Amino acid sequence: ELPTGLKNEVALFLVHELVAKCIVFADVNVVNLSTITSMIKPVMIDGGDAIVSVGEEILDLFVVSRGGAVALEVNLTRSAPRILRELGKGDVFGAEAILHAHACDKRDKNLRPERWNMNIIANPATHDCRGCELFQLHTPDLSSLLPLHVLETLQKNVRINTKLLILSRLVKAQPERVARNNEMLKRSV
């Protein structure tokens, strides 16, 4: 059994290694990346259990660390849900939450977090993993712990890498929202 302090250091190292490879956190210096890493908590979801469900607010960013999950389309006219995407180690979902991290801090009533338009379910248990092990980052906390320029860098990375937004962009885009987001991006660059 390792001492608690050593356990924490090992856990931070493992989280830091996976997070450093994540495109959301590109161009973030080591000091700020360490701050972000310290905010991330590990989450274990048993096989078959929901990680997120339709209608929940997107407030957290998730990185799959072990196991996997599937994103399922919710369609009341079909008997079986359609698989939209399979998620494995290193995959990110919930990146939209970063786009609204500063808005949550301002408590702006006009900017509401987006909502999930699908269910994401942990894969069945295997001999290697009980389901899906994730690293979870609660994004409303970012604006109080990071300088504004770092938060803006994260938001720019999310906007540029549309692969990060693919899960919630499967519904029809709202033109006025797209125009507003593009205008905000132009002002921040």
Side-chain angles (χ1 to χ4, degrees):
E1 185 79 18
L2 294 173
T4 304
L6 187 56
K7 278 186 195 175
N8 290 340
E9 283 186 43
V10 169
L12 278 174
F13 174 77
L14 294 174
V15 171
H16 185 83
E17 187 177 305
L18 187 63
V19 167
K21 295 176 186 174
C22 187
I23 57 177
V24 174
F25 304 107
D27 305 322
V28 175
N29 68 35
V30 175
V31 173
N32 290 316
L33 197 57
S34 294
T35 301
I36 293 168
T37 301
S38 69
M39 296 169 58
I40 291 175
K41 64 179 185 178
V43 178
M44 176 63 205
I45 307 293
D46 288 329
D49 288 350
I51 299 169
V52 296
S53 299
V54 170
E56 292 177 359
E57 288 183 351
I58 303 175
L59 295 173
D60 300 304
L61 176 136
F62 296 92
V63 180
V64 178
S65 64
R66 206 163 122 199
V70 291
L72 301 173
E73 177 184 44
V74 176
N75 188 334
L76 300 176
T77 60
R78 288 193 201 134
S79 59
R82 181 174 65 108
I83 295 177
L84 299 172
R85 185 168 166 206
E86 294 187 19
L87 302 162
K89 183 176 180 173
D91 284 337
V92 176
F93 59 98
E96 295 83 353
I98 287 180
L99 297 177
H100 299 283
H102 191 59
C104 290
D105 183 50
K106 291 180 181 178
R107 306 289 184 240
D108 187 339
K109 303 291 187 231
N110 296 323
L111 287 174
R112 294 192 178 99
E114 294 187 42
R115 295 187 178 275
W116 288 101
N117 62 352
M118 68 196 64
N119 293 323
I120 300 182
I121 309 296
N123 284 349
T126 65
H127 66 283
D128 292 331
C129 184
R130 288 189 348 219
C132 187
E133 293 179 18
L134 304 160
F135 292 129
Q136 179 182 16
L137 175 63
H138 189 64
T139 59
D141 299 338
L142 287 174
S143 59
S144 62
L145 296 171
L146 293 174
L148 183 59
H149 73 277
V150 175
L151 185 58
E152 289 171 347
T153 298
L154 296 175
Q155 291 171 338
K156 179 186 75 157
N157 290 344
V158 169
R159 285 188 187 99
I160 289 171
N161 297 294
T162 56
K163 176 185 174 195
L164 295 171
L165 300 173
I166 191 91
L167 288 176
S168 67
R169 296 292 182 246
L170 296 169
V171 293
K172 187 177 175 185
Q174 299 171 349
E176 61 278 351
R177 186 176 217 166
V178 171
R180 184 182 72 226
N181 286 344
N182 287 338
E183 186 60 36
M184 287 177 16
L185 178 61
K186 287 178 189 172
R187 280 187 263 146
S188 67
V189 174

